[in-house]
Amino acid sequence: MNIFKQFYKSLYSPKDIAQFHLQGIGKTILFVFCLTLLSILPVIFYFSSALINGMDAIQDSVKTDLPSFIIENGEMKTDLDVPKIINKDDFTIIFDSTGTVDEEELSNSDNTIALLKNDAYIISGGQSQSISYSMLNDLTLTNENLQELLATIDSSLVIIIPIVVVIIFIVTAGFKFFEISILAIFGLLFKKLLDVNIQYRHTWRLAAYSVTLPTIFFAIMDSIKTVVPNGALLHWFVALMMLFLTIKEIPREEKK
């Protein structure tokens, strides 16, 4: 069965998934990478769009809306007494040199660029990327310098975005393999309860396909920007149920 049919069957059929426990590990690993790529497509789309649109918005704001400031010794300084919030179309720019805005408050933000006292943040699609001013070392940054820097970054987005996408993919794939490995341990418990003669390498393969349904479901929710209450618990519950039903489909007399 090719990988596309496996993907389709894994969405609803524990009986078909059960047949995959004897296939080569290489094909299973390839499936996990493909599943990971599908799961991050909404994040990549929204993050890339936000980065491109946000770069245009912040360049305009630096020229027209932001007060004079200076970033030196890892800290931004201005004459503002309160944070300044600028709304540009569907994008929000938060400018705060007072330390009032806490980075934890930004977790609920969407399509936001925040220039805070010690760090800058880009938030989009549930993903947050931060840059510490301390990375500037001894470099001093002002409005004029920032305009030049933003122009350089804007012209380099064609390189920056693919690099960020690769990083997101690697990190997400790492978490996905970790999730599958933990799920496979539960598979050993299920195989004892169901008296099925399989080993960890088999439960790992089955776990890789059992996470397909919850992974795709939450990818769809991300694509329509819908937050699912207790999403993590729901994800694990569905994956565990799929794995249990899959192992249940393996005949008890099945050998290694």
Side-chain angles (χ1 to χ4, degrees):
M1 188 180 295
N2 63 49
I3 195 170
F4 299 105
K5 286 185 177 180
Q6 286 186 326
F7 172 77
Y8 175 69
K9 295 289 186 179
S10 298
L11 290 173
Y12 70 91
S13 178
K15 185 176 181 179
D16 286 292
I17 296 175
Q19 300 175 14
F20 305 153
H21 73 288
L22 292 176
Q23 75 174 14
I25 188 64
K27 188 174 183 179
T28 306
I29 291 175
L30 176 61
F31 180 87
V32 175
F33 279 127
C34 292
L35 183 63
T36 300
L37 181 59
L38 284 174
S39 71
I40 64 173
L41 286 180
V43 173
I44 292 173
F45 173 77
Y46 286 120
F47 181 81
S48 300
S49 299
L51 192 58
I52 294 171
N53 296 332
M55 192 58 62
D56 294 336
I58 196 172
Q59 287 186 84
D60 292 339
S61 296
V62 168
K63 292 178 183 178
T64 60
D65 300 319
L66 294 188
S68 297
F69 68 88
I70 183 171
I71 298 176
E72 59 181 355
N73 300 322
E75 185 176 318
M76 180 171 66
K77 300 176 182 178
T78 70
D79 295 330
L80 293 178
D81 296 325
V82 295
K84 185 178 181 67
I85 299 177
I86 303 167
N87 293 307
K88 290 276 188 179
D89 298 326
D90 294 330
F91 217 90
T92 300
I93 299 174
I94 300 175
F95 191 80
D96 176 34
S97 61
T98 65
T100 303
V101 177
D102 188 358
E103 52 266 25
E104 293 183 0
E105 299 177 13
L106 301 175
S107 59
N108 296 324
S109 303
D110 193 21
N111 294 339
T112 300
I113 288 181
L115 302 177
L116 305 186
K117 186 174 183 178
N118 302 109
D119 304 274
Y121 290 84
I122 301 176
I123 303 99
S124 178
Q127 300 294 313
S128 175
Q129 302 291 327
S130 64
I131 301 174
S132 175
Y133 301 145
S134 61
M135 296 175 60
L136 299 175
N137 296 323
D138 296 328
L139 180 65
T140 299
L141 194 64
T142 62
N143 296 59
E144 293 75 16
N145 300 137
L146 182 58
Q147 291 181 39
E148 297 175 0
L149 178 61
L150 290 174
T152 302
I153 294 175
D154 190 37
S155 63
S156 302
L157 287 181
V158 67
I159 299 175
I160 295 173
I161 290 177
I163 291 175
V164 173
V165 168
V166 170
I167 293 173
I168 293 174
F169 175 76
I170 292 174
V171 172
T172 306
F175 279 111
K176 184 60 67 177
F177 277 99
F178 177 75
E179 173 193 350
I180 292 169
S181 299
I182 297 299
L183 194 61
I185 294 176
F186 283 96
L188 294 178
L189 174 62
F190 295 156
K191 72 106 175 180
K192 287 185 178 181
L193 292 175
L194 298 170
D195 192 24
V196 176
N197 189 13
I198 55 176
Q199 298 179 8
Y200 179 79
R201 65 179 184 271
H202 302 126
T203 62
W204 197 95
R205 291 177 175 89
L206 297 177
Y209 292 95
S210 297
V211 299
T212 303
L213 178 58
T215 299
I216 296 303
F217 171 77
F218 282 98
I220 294 173
M221 292 298 102
D222 288 340
S223 68
I224 60 178
K225 295 185 177 181
T226 300
V227 177
V228 180
N230 300 314
L233 292 176
L234 179 61
H235 182 104
W236 277 97
F237 175 77
V238 174
L240 287 168
M241 287 301 299
M242 285 293 291
L243 181 59
F244 178 83
L245 294 174
T246 296
I247 295 177
K248 189 177 180 180
E249 290 292 336
I250 299 177
R252 292 188 176 184
E253 66 272 17
E254 181 74 50
K255 300 303 179 182
K256 294 182 182 179

